[in-house]
Amino acid sequence: MTRYQAVGIGNAIVDVISQCDDAFLTRMGIEKSVMQLIEQERGEYLYTQMQARRQMPGGSVANTIAGLGALGLSTGFIGRVSDDELGRFYAQAMTDVGTDFVNPPRADGALPTSRSMIFVTPDGERSMNTYLGISTELDEGDVPDAVAGQAGILFLEGYLFDKPKGKAAFLAAARAARTGGGKAGITLSDPFCVDRHRDDFRRLVRDLDYVIGNEHEWKSLYQTEDLGAALEQAAVESGLIVCTRSGHDVVLVEGEDTVTVPVQAVTPVDATGAGDQFAAGFLYGVATGQPLAVAGRMGCIAAAEVIGHYGARPETDVKALFAAAGLI
């Protein structure tokens, strides 16, 4: 069995993108510029209403793993899709970018493949309607020990903690990875997700090797508006913590060492995927044994690349950007 340099576990969501005007949003009852969770019937209806739609594999940790694959690491992704048109597309698209999609599409799934219908208006605003579908049903049976146990880095998606079987799958995978000598960590995903599962996440901070979150998520985790106090408490509980602050310096804390990485201001074309690709650049640095400051800088470069164009995955050679910055 291949030893993967990085394995991710998360929601397998197909992003379906279509252009429209404001009148269409009004007619469809779509709230502009926000992400709404929708039910199956609504999702299938909106899908049929999309004109000239484009599809691409998405999901937060999946985007990170795809970024790591593009940087040349051997990667695998664990997620659940149905054996339907979008599910087969997702599995093949992940394979096409060099990431093993570990589990084949499920023919027994009562739920369809997860999808996010993204409507882009002429002003560039994105209105997202997400049907979570089968991806949230992921359980321990989807996580082969032979894959998690041979991962150099395991990266978990906080969103999947909304169901007990997702939590169980994560804990089993983390145990397998750490037993095999790998590092296991999580992205906090969303401050509301943290609010729902604060006790579980607090335990994870203590039990995992690294945790990545933004300032809102860290403050939510420790129920304080004082970011410094939140990070100080996190540093006592975790081996490595990462705090991104949109447009501001990134803070990295490992043991007694605190590193601040400056962020170069970039006017975003599309901020989607900035956090996902920061994680890809940062974890690439960790996987290749770079000092903390260099890994953080790699994360910032990868994030800057992805916000310079539409879509949540890199379009240029990020490794070449690292070289141009003198990092490799």
Side-chain angles (χ1 to χ4, degrees), residues 90-205:
Y90 192 98
Q92 186 60 51
M94 290 297 285
T95 301
D96 289 345
V97 296
T99 291
D100 286 352
F101 190 73
V102 172
N103 300 312
R106 296 175 67 105
D108 60 343
L111 296 172
T113 296
S114 309
R115 77 282 308 265
S116 181
M117 275 70 67
I118 303 171
F119 297 91
V120 183
T121 42
D123 56 6
E125 291 294 318
R126 296 158 66 93
S127 307
M128 294 183 282
N129 297 260
T130 301
Y131 168 60
L132 291 176
I134 198 172
S135 68
T136 60
E137 297 299 307
L138 184 136
D139 60 27
E140 283 187 71
D142 294 306
V143 185
D145 279 352
V147 174
Q150 297 196 48
I153 288 176
L154 181 72
F155 193 36
L156 310 173
E157 185 173 310
Y159 284 125
L160 277 177
F161 259 61
D162 273 326
K163 291 198 175 180
K165 51 191 172 184
K167 297 177 189 178
F170 275 12
L171 294 174
R175 279 195 300 270
R178 300 182 85 189
T179 299
K183 294 181 178 179
I186 193 168
T187 169
L188 296 177
S189 292
D190 180 281
F192 302 109
C193 189
V194 172
D195 284 340
R196 289 193 296 271
H197 307 290
R198 183 171 289 105
D199 290 343
D200 284 323
F201 278 135
R202 288 286 300 275
R203 281 193 291 271
L204 278 172
V205 169

Side-chain angles (χ1 to χ4, degrees), residues 65-298:
I65 294 297
L68 285 164
L71 284 164
L73 298 193
S74 58
T75 54
F77 179 70
I78 296 170
R80 187 184 280 204
V81 298
S82 281
D83 187 12
D84 53 21
E85 180 185 351
L86 288 181
R88 292 187 292 272
F89 163 80
Y90 192 98
Q92 186 60 51
M94 290 297 285
T95 301
D96 289 345
V97 296
T99 291
D100 286 352
F101 190 73
V102 172
N103 300 312
R106 296 175 67 105
D108 60 343
L111 296 172
T113 296
S114 309
R115 77 282 308 265
S116 181
M117 275 70 67
I118 303 171
F119 297 91
V120 183
T121 42
D123 56 6
E125 291 294 318
R126 296 158 66 93
S127 307
M128 294 183 282
N129 297 260
T130 301
Y131 168 60
L132 291 176
I134 198 172
S135 68
T136 60
E137 297 299 307
L138 184 136
D139 60 27
E140 283 187 71
D142 294 306
V143 185
D145 279 352
V147 174
Q150 297 196 48
I153 288 176
L154 181 72
F155 193 36
L156 310 173
E157 185 173 310
Y159 284 125
L160 277 177
F161 259 61
D162 273 326
K163 291 198 175 180
K165 51 191 172 184
K167 297 177 189 178
F170 275 12
L171 294 174
R175 279 195 300 270
R178 300 182 85 189
T179 299
K183 294 181 178 179
I186 193 168
T187 169
L188 296 177
S189 292
D190 180 281
F192 302 109
C193 189
V194 172
D195 284 340
R196 289 193 296 271
H197 307 290
R198 183 171 289 105
D199 290 343
D200 284 323
F201 278 135
R202 288 286 300 275
R203 281 193 291 271
L204 278 172
V205 169
R206 293 190 288 271
D207 292 343
L208 297 179
D209 299 294
Y210 66 91
V211 182
I212 299 176
N214 64 34
E215 59 182 316
H216 306 295
E217 292 154 4
W218 283 114
K219 288 191 288 189
S220 172
L221 186 63
Y222 292 102
Q223 295 178 284
T224 176
E225 286 303 307
D226 184 339
L227 179 62
L231 297 183
E232 187 175 333
Q233 192 166 353
V236 172
E237 298 184 352
S238 178
L240 170 60
I241 65 168
V242 180
C243 177
T244 59
R245 301 182 298 154
S246 182
H248 300 283
D249 295 351
V250 175
V251 181
L252 313 169
V253 184
E254 186 172 29
E256 297 295 316
D257 298 328
T258 299
V259 175
T260 301
V261 181
V263 172
Q264 184 175 352
V266 176
T267 302
V269 172
D270 176 7
T272 309
D276 304 340
Q277 294 311 317
F278 172 86
F282 174 74
L283 291 176
Y284 176 82
V286 171
T288 56
Q290 300 293 339
L292 209 53
V294 173
R297 184 77 191 109
M298 287 175 164

